Amino acid sequence: MSILLQQLLHSKDPCAIFSRGMQHSAKILDRQAEQSTPPRISVDGVEIRLVRLPLLEPFETSFGKIDSRLIFLICLSAEGLSGWGEVVASEKPLYSYETVGTAFHVIKDFLAPAVLDGPISSLPDLAKRFAPFRGHNMAKAGLELAYMDLLAQAQKQSLSALIGGERKQIAVGVSLGIQPTPAQLLKRVEHYLSLGYQRIKLKIKPGWDIEIVDAVRRANPDILLSVDANSAYTLADADHLKKLDDFDLLMIEQPLQSDDVVDHAKLQQVLETSLCLDESITGRRQAQAALDLESCRIINIKIGRVGGYSEAITIHDLCAARGIPVWCGGMLESGIGRAHNIALASLPDFTLPGDISASSRYFEHDLISPEVTVASDGTVAVPDGIGLGFDVELGFIERQTETRVYLSRK
Ligand code: OSB
Ligand code: MG
């Protein structure tokens, strides 16, 4: 079990009340940071903001093409602090059933009232309040993320330190969407390799698979290369997918149905290449089932898809105990979601490069400063500043906001 969960699960001290005004006392905060008991946090308000961010280049997968993101931000206010999270749902139910619209409804009508229903004593306390509501992991995660930013600030710690992260730098790769032509794809691959990215992931679908993987591999015999099908195949395509064994791929991500772990196990038996599950792993029980059935040899952990930090850390710990490497996936997040991904990826079992690319790979302007940058050795530095470790660009957020709702205690 991770240090964080141990600390949070064993915290029963009702006296550790983090009341208004205390954040001004460095002494008290320092003492609290040393204690294993997290401060109780009374959330005053939940702000939802929908912020439009155009993508610098369209992103195409087997399920469609987008040219902007409607970024769903959560800001929790408590004790004079603001904690930020991001709901990674898309506008259409293609990657998952959740959308910006469903998350808005579920947060406004069910999850925000649970957050506002008395002081939160720990992450497990928050997770327990959400547990009765079935599904809607991305909505839950947005609130958990914002709470953890608040908690880190209250304890004067970085998010990475709060969850027991160990890495100071994380290895990163880039996920390249389907391009108009193979020549354009080869150019994009060269471009990102020249920037230092440690792993290239190609989106594939029937008709855009063997030939393009062959072309990229021929041009780059030694790179870490993987593919992601976003559920574009079925087990009937096993012979076709077997051709991918010729290209020394690091993994094939989510070739089959998004809720499947049985057919993936059958496919893994006939493939030499490791399978990695993304969409199928919606929580710890799915991760456990996938490991028990040997449906994959690698797991992509997305904090949004699994419902937040408590579930993501549990899956990390489970995989670490079984010797299964994990990596941090991405959902074209703004810098706010990305800052949380960076903290998560600082945990020890995140041994493979994550889909955590530079801000400039996605957007003209990001919502944080400094922006996320990738060093020439293909790493991102884990910030050691308090909370997210980045400043939130409120003025820019305000200018890009399409919808703003503020929910407070009645
Ligand atoms: O399947 O990993 C995926 C983006 C949106 C939805 C699903 C996926 C992706 C990516 C991009 O691959 C990862 C990123 O750079 O954020
Ligand atoms: Mg994926």
Side-chain angles (χ1 to χ4, degrees):
M1 191 188 292
S2 77
I3 297 160
L4 169 80
L5 284 182
Q6 270 172 20
Q7 279 183 7
L8 297 182
L9 288 170
H10 298 163
S11 61
K12 299 224 168 66
D13 178 3
C15 302
I17 295 176
F18 183 70
S19 64
R20 187 179 294 277
M22 272 191 181
Q23 70 273 18
H24 301 301
S25 165
K27 262 192 198 146
I28 290 170
L29 283 170
D30 287 345
R31 192 169 51 72
Q32 284 182 336
E34 281 161 24
Q35 290 172 350
S36 59
T37 307
R40 285 156 59 92
I41 293 182
S42 278
V43 175
D44 304 315
V46 179
E47 187 187 56
I48 296 173
R49 278 179 188 266
L50 305 184
V51 178
R52 180 68 65 181
L53 278 187
L55 289 169
L56 282 171
E57 48 184 65
F59 191 74
E60 183 171 345
T61 65
S62 61
F63 54 72
K65 185 167 166 178
I66 54 167
D67 49 25
S68 74
R69 283 286 272 139
L70 186 57
I71 301 288
F72 191 133
L73 298 179
I74 301 279
C75 181
L76 296 184
S77 46
E79 341 271 349
L81 302 172
S82 296
W84 290 88
E86 182 168 338
V87 175
V88 298
S90 307
E91 288 165 85
K92 296 180 187 171
L94 299 175
Y95 169 84
S96 71
Y97 68 82
E98 287 190 85
T99 65
V100 168
T102 66
F104 193 92
H105 156 59
V106 170
I107 291 174
K108 181 169 80 57
D109 295 330
F110 305 105
L111 304 178
V115 167
L116 294 166
D117 185 23
I120 301 166
S121 59
S122 62
L123 181 61
D125 173 20
L126 187 61
K128 212 165 123 193
R129 294 184 198 195
F130 292 164
F133 304 113
R134 188 173 298 186
H136 298 282
N137 285 348
M138 294 177 179
K140 290 171 180 172
L143 290 161
E144 266 205 12
L145 264 52
Y147 164 75
M148 289 294 273
D149 181 23
L150 270 183
L151 182 58
Q153 291 177 53
Q155 304 205 130
K156 292 209 163 176
Q157 274 184 309
S158 68
L159 273 169
S160 169
L162 176 66
I163 64 170
E166 293 178 355
R167 290 167 206 288
K168 299 292 170 221
Q169 279 101 29
I170 56 172
V172 301
V174 67
S175 169
L176 296 181
I178 293 163
Q179 304 290 314
T181 65
Q184 275 162 287
L185 176 65
L186 282 166
K187 269 198 177 162
R188 300 318 285 151
V189 171
E190 295 318 310
H191 173 67
Y192 287 104
L193 289 173
S194 77
L195 295 176
Y197 285 92
Q198 294 190 25
R199 182 270 286 139
I200 300 287
K201 167 171 131 182
L202 308 175
K203 291 290 188 181
I204 58 166
K205 65 175 182 181
W208 182 267
D209 50 21
I210 312 297
E211 291 75 19
I212 62 109
V213 174
D214 184 34
V216 171
R217 180 47 97 196
R218 270 172 208 269
N220 305 278
D222 300 323
I223 63 168
L224 283 184
L225 184 63
S226 66
V227 296
D228 183 358
N230 290 109
S231 304
Y233 302 89
T234 69
L235 197 53
D237 299 309
D239 288 341
H240 180 71
L241 292 167
K242 180 111 184 87
K243 296 182 191 152
L244 291 170
D245 274 344
D246 290 343
F247 306 109
D248 191 25
L249 298 177
L250 182 60
M251 70 189 87
I252 302 171
E253 186 179 340
Q254 196 73 38
L256 311 181
Q257 282 85 347
S258 63
D259 60 354
D260 170 78
V261 289
V262 174
D263 283 357
H264 280 101
K266 293 181 186 160
L267 182 62
Q268 182 67 90
Q269 286 214 325
V270 301
L271 290 184
E272 275 158 47
T273 311
S274 294
L275 292 182
C276 168
L277 292 179
D278 173 356
E279 284 90 328
S280 294
I281 308 299
T282 50
R284 70 184 76 182
R285 287 186 311 99
Q286 290 77 13
Q288 182 84 57
L291 299 188
D292 287 351
L293 292 173
E294 297 180 33
S295 315
C296 61
R297 300 188 198 127
I298 298 173
I299 287 183
N300 163 337
I301 300 183
K302 285 182 183 167
I303 199 165
R305 189 190 67 232
V306 302
Y309 277 101
S310 46
E311 209 65 16
I313 294 169
T314 302
I315 296 170
H316 164 273
D317 292 353
L318 181 68
C319 291
R322 301 267 197 115
I324 295 286
V326 303
W327 56 281
C328 181
M331 291 290 293
L332 311 174
E333 290 92 340
S334 80
I336 290 174
R338 197 169 309 281
H340 286 281
N341 289 346
I342 293 169
L344 183 70
S346 72
L347 291 173
D349 198 40
F350 282 85
T351 51
L352 294 170
D355 276 345
I356 303 176
S357 303
S359 301
S360 59
R361 180 258 180 281
Y362 309 92
F363 311 114
E364 175 92 38
H365 292 285
D366 206 338
L367 306 182
I368 54 167
S369 79
E371 297 199 329
V372 175
T373 53
V374 172
S376 57
D377 65 351
T379 62
V380 167
V382 179
D384 52 15
I386 288 170
L388 296 179
F390 296 89
D391 288 335
V392 173
E393 292 280 304
L394 264 177
F396 182 57
I397 289 175
E398 185 65 37
R399 287 198 295 284
Q400 298 294 116
T401 295
E402 288 188 357
T403 304
R404 178 181 174 273
V405 172
Y406 184 77
L407 308 159
S408 60
R409 257 173 290 175
K410 297 220 173 68

